[in-house]
C-alpha cells in the first residue's frame, strides 16, 4: 500500500494495487477543493487545469486529458427486485482505480476512475511520491459510481451533443459532473435538477449520462441544440450506448448494434437478470479492442462487481 499525505490541504490518500491488470483501489480523505471548483467553474481544459494547479498544486508537466470512448450501460432488476446498474467502459486505454470517497460534507461514494485520464501509466504506482500532486485530482472525474443513497451515474460519449452556454450559469468540465451528482444527489430527479444548473464544456467529445436510483427510477440526461433533455425509462429497464436517445425513435447512430443486443436480451427476460448474467451481457457487447472494464452496481445493496478483459472469470467485489 502507498500512503500519500498533503499536509497543506490535510489530504490523505491510501492506494493499493490489487491485481496485475493493473487494478488499484484508493481511499481518499480530506478536502480536495471540489466545492470551490463548483463556485468558480472552468470554461476550457486549460482553465480547468489552471484551477487544479492552484487548488491542488498539480505538477504542470503532467497534463489532464481524456480520449474518446464508446461504452454501454443499462438498468435492470434481479429476481429479488434489487436494482442493477451496469456499464462497459470502452476506450483506447485505461488504468482503472476503485475510489472510495469519504467526505463529511458530502455523500460517501464508491466509483471507478480511469487514471489514464490523469496521465498515469503502469509505472506511476511505483513513483507516487514524485507524481502525487497529479493523483490529488483523482476524485474530480469518476467514470461511474454509486453513493450512500444508492444513486448511480455513468458517462458515455454522445458525439452529437451540444452543451448549453447560458450567461447566468457557471460552466463545468463535463467529466466532473458525475462527482457533483455522487456528492449531492439522492435520486434521479435531484440529479436532473443539479445537472440543469450548469453549463458544460468537453475536451475530445461531449457526453451523455445515465443515472438511476435505489427506487428503480432511471433516465438518460442529454444535450440537444444547446438544451438539456431527459429520456426517462418507460419500463423497469433502460439501455444507452453512444447515440442520442432523445427524439430518435429509430435509435440510429454509433452503438446501435450494442443497444439492440442489450435491449433484446432484457426484453426477453422482462428486465429481470442476475448480476452474473448482467456481467455476461456486458462482456458480449464490448467494442473489440477497446474493452477496459465491465461493472455492475447493485443499488439496493450498494455493492459493485467489476471484471476486466482477459480475466473475466475473476470478479472483484466491493461494498460501500
Amino acid at each position: 500500500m502507498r500512503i500519500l499525505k498533503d499536509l497543506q490541504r490535510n489530504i490523505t490518500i491510501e492506494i493499493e494495487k490489487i491485481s496485475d491488470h493493473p487494478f488499484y483501489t484508493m481511499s481518499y480523505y480530506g478536502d480536495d477543493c471540489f466545492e470551490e471548483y463548483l463556485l468558480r467553474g472552468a470554461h476550457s481544459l486549460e482553465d480547468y487545469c489552471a484551477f487544479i494547479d492552484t487548488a491542488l498544486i498539480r505538477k504542470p508537466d503532467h497534463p489532464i486529458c481524456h480520449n474518446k470512448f464508446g461504452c454501454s450501460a443499462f438498468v435492470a432488476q434481479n429476481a429479488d427486485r434489487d436494482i442493477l446498474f451496469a456499464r462497459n467502459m470502452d476506450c483506447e486505454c485505461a488504468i482503472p482505480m476503485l475510489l472510495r470517497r469519504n467526505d463529511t460534507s458530502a455523500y460517501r461514494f464508491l466509483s471507478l476512475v480511469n487514471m489514464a485520464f490523469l496521465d498515469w501509466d503502469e509505472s506511476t504506482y511505483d513513483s507516487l511520491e514524485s507524481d502525487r500532486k497529479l493523483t490529488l485530482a483523482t476524485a474530480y472525474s469518476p467514470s461511474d459510481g454509486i453513493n450512500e443513497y444508492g444513486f448511480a451515474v455513468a458517462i458515455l460519449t454522445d458525439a452529437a451533443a451540444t452543451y448549453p452556454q447560458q450567461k447566468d450559469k457557471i460552466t463545468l468540465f463535463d467529466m466532473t459532473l458525475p462527482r457533483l451528482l455522487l456528492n449531492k444527489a439522492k435520486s434521479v430527479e435531484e440529479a436532473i435538477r443539479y445537472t440543469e444548473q450548469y453549463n458544460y464544456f468537453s475536451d475530445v467529445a461531449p457526453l451523455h449520462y445515465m443515472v438511476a436510483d435505489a427506487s428503480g427510477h432511471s433516465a438518460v440526461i442529454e444535450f440537444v441544440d444547446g438544451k438539456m433533455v431527459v429520456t426517462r425509462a418507460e419500463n423497469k429497464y433502460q439501455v444507452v450506448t453512444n447515440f442520442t436517445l432523445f427524439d430518435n425513435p429509430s435509435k440510429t447512430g454509433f452503438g446501435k448494434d450494442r443497444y439492440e443486443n442489450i435491449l433484446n436480451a432484457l426484453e426477453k427476460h422482462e428486465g429481470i437478470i442476475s448480476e452474473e448474467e448482467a456481467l455476461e451481457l456486458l462482456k458480449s457487447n464490448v467494442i473489440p479492442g477497446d474493452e477496459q472494464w465491465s461493472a455492475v452496481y447493485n443499488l439496493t445493496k450498494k455493492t459493485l462487481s467489476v471484471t476486466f478483459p482477459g480475466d473475466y472469470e475473476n470478479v472483484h467485489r466491493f461494498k460501500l
Side-chain angles (χ1 to χ4, degrees):
M1 178 182 286
R2 300 282 193 271
I3 299 177
L4 305 180
K5 291 183 179 291
D6 186 309
L7 298 179
Q8 181 181 0
R9 300 293 183 190
N10 195 28
I11 291 172
T12 299
I13 300 175
E14 300 171 349
I15 306 176
E16 185 174 3
K17 185 176 182 179
I18 61 173
S19 84
D20 291 329
H21 175 72
F23 179 39
Y24 305 88
T25 64
M26 173 189 292
S27 294
Y28 196 121
Y29 308 92
D31 181 10
D32 63 354
C33 304
F34 190 75
E35 287 298 320
E36 182 181 341
Y37 162 71
L38 293 180
L39 293 173
R40 179 189 182 279
H43 294 274
S44 66
L45 187 61
E46 293 75 16
D47 193 20
Y48 174 73
C49 289
F51 173 82
I52 298 297
D53 251 344
T54 302
L56 296 177
I57 328 173
R58 182 179 58 81
K59 293 180 69 173
D61 57 335
H62 291 284
I64 293 175
C65 61
H66 78 276
N67 48 44
K68 188 175 181 179
F69 45 93
C71 309
S72 308
F74 65 87
V75 174
Q77 297 181 17
N78 66 17
D80 294 328
R81 304 302 179 186
D82 291 354
I83 309 303
L84 305 183
F85 183 92
R87 77 99 92 249
N88 272 336
M89 182 63 170
D90 297 320
C91 62
E92 293 176 7
C93 62
I95 298 178
M97 177 78 76
L98 186 282
L99 169 67
R100 291 183 183 274
R101 177 69 179 159
N102 295 285
D103 186 342
T104 57
S105 63
Y107 302 151
R108 294 180 298 111
F109 67 80
L110 188 70
S111 68
L112 287 164
V113 182
N114 184 355
M115 298 302 290
F117 294 167
L118 295 173
D119 205 37
W120 266 47
D121 58 34
E122 294 188 11
S123 67
T124 303
Y125 180 72
D126 297 319
S127 60
L128 274 180
E129 187 59 31
S130 62
D131 288 337
R132 78 186 197 285
K133 294 172 183 175
L134 182 68
T135 306
L136 294 178
T138 299
Y140 273 62
S141 51
S143 295
D144 46 79
I146 181 175
N147 70 18
E148 62 184 281
Y149 289 95
F151 168 83
V153 57
I155 60 172
L156 306 94
T157 294
D158 177 11
T162 54
Y163 292 134
Q165 300 298 325
Q166 299 181 25
K167 292 182 179 180
D168 60 339
K169 293 183 178 180
I170 292 172
T171 300
L172 302 179
F173 184 21
D174 59 359
M175 295 283 290
T176 63
L177 177 60
R179 166 67 184 279
L180 164 61
L181 300 183
L182 291 170
N183 266 14
K184 298 177 180 291
K186 297 179 183 178
S187 67
V188 166
E189 293 307 315
E190 286 188 2
I192 291 168
R193 290 197 295 271
Y194 279 118
T195 302
E196 198 170 23
Q197 293 175 16
Y198 295 90
N199 298 322
Y200 302 93
F201 77 87
S202 64
D203 175 26
V204 175
L207 307 173
H208 54 183
Y209 306 83
M210 174 166 261
V211 294
D213 60 40
S215 71
H217 294 105
S218 70
V220 177
I221 302 173
E222 301 178 308
F223 302 90
V224 176
D225 297 330
K227 297 179 181 179
M228 188 191 83
V229 295
V230 178
T231 300
R232 290 175 170 83
E234 297 179 354
N235 301 294
K236 55 189 175 185
Y237 51 89
Q238 187 174 27
V239 183
V240 64
T241 56
N242 303 117
F243 55 84
T244 304
L245 287 180
F246 184 81
D247 198 24
N248 183 6
S250 61
K251 303 297 185 286
T252 57
F254 180 62
K256 179 180 176 69
D257 54 342
R258 289 176 281 124
Y259 179 91
E260 291 181 341
N261 290 342
I262 296 171
L263 183 63
N264 289 340
L266 294 178
E267 287 178 340
K268 182 179 178 180
H269 297 93
E270 298 183 339
I272 305 299
I273 188 171
S274 70
E275 292 184 32
E276 292 75 17
E277 290 168 336
L279 285 170
E280 284 295 320
L281 185 55
L282 289 171
K283 184 176 73 171
S284 63
N285 286 282
V286 299
I287 298 177
D290 282 353
E291 59 267 48
Q292 299 298 340
W293 69 73
S294 298
V296 176
Y297 295 87
N298 184 314
L299 307 192
T300 306
K301 293 185 171 66
K302 303 177 184 65
T303 60
L304 164 63
S305 300
V306 59
T307 63
F308 301 100
D311 191 23
Y312 281 117
E313 293 72 25
N314 186 13
V315 181
H316 301 268
R317 303 183 190 278
F318 305 91
K319 184 174 179 59
L320 180 59

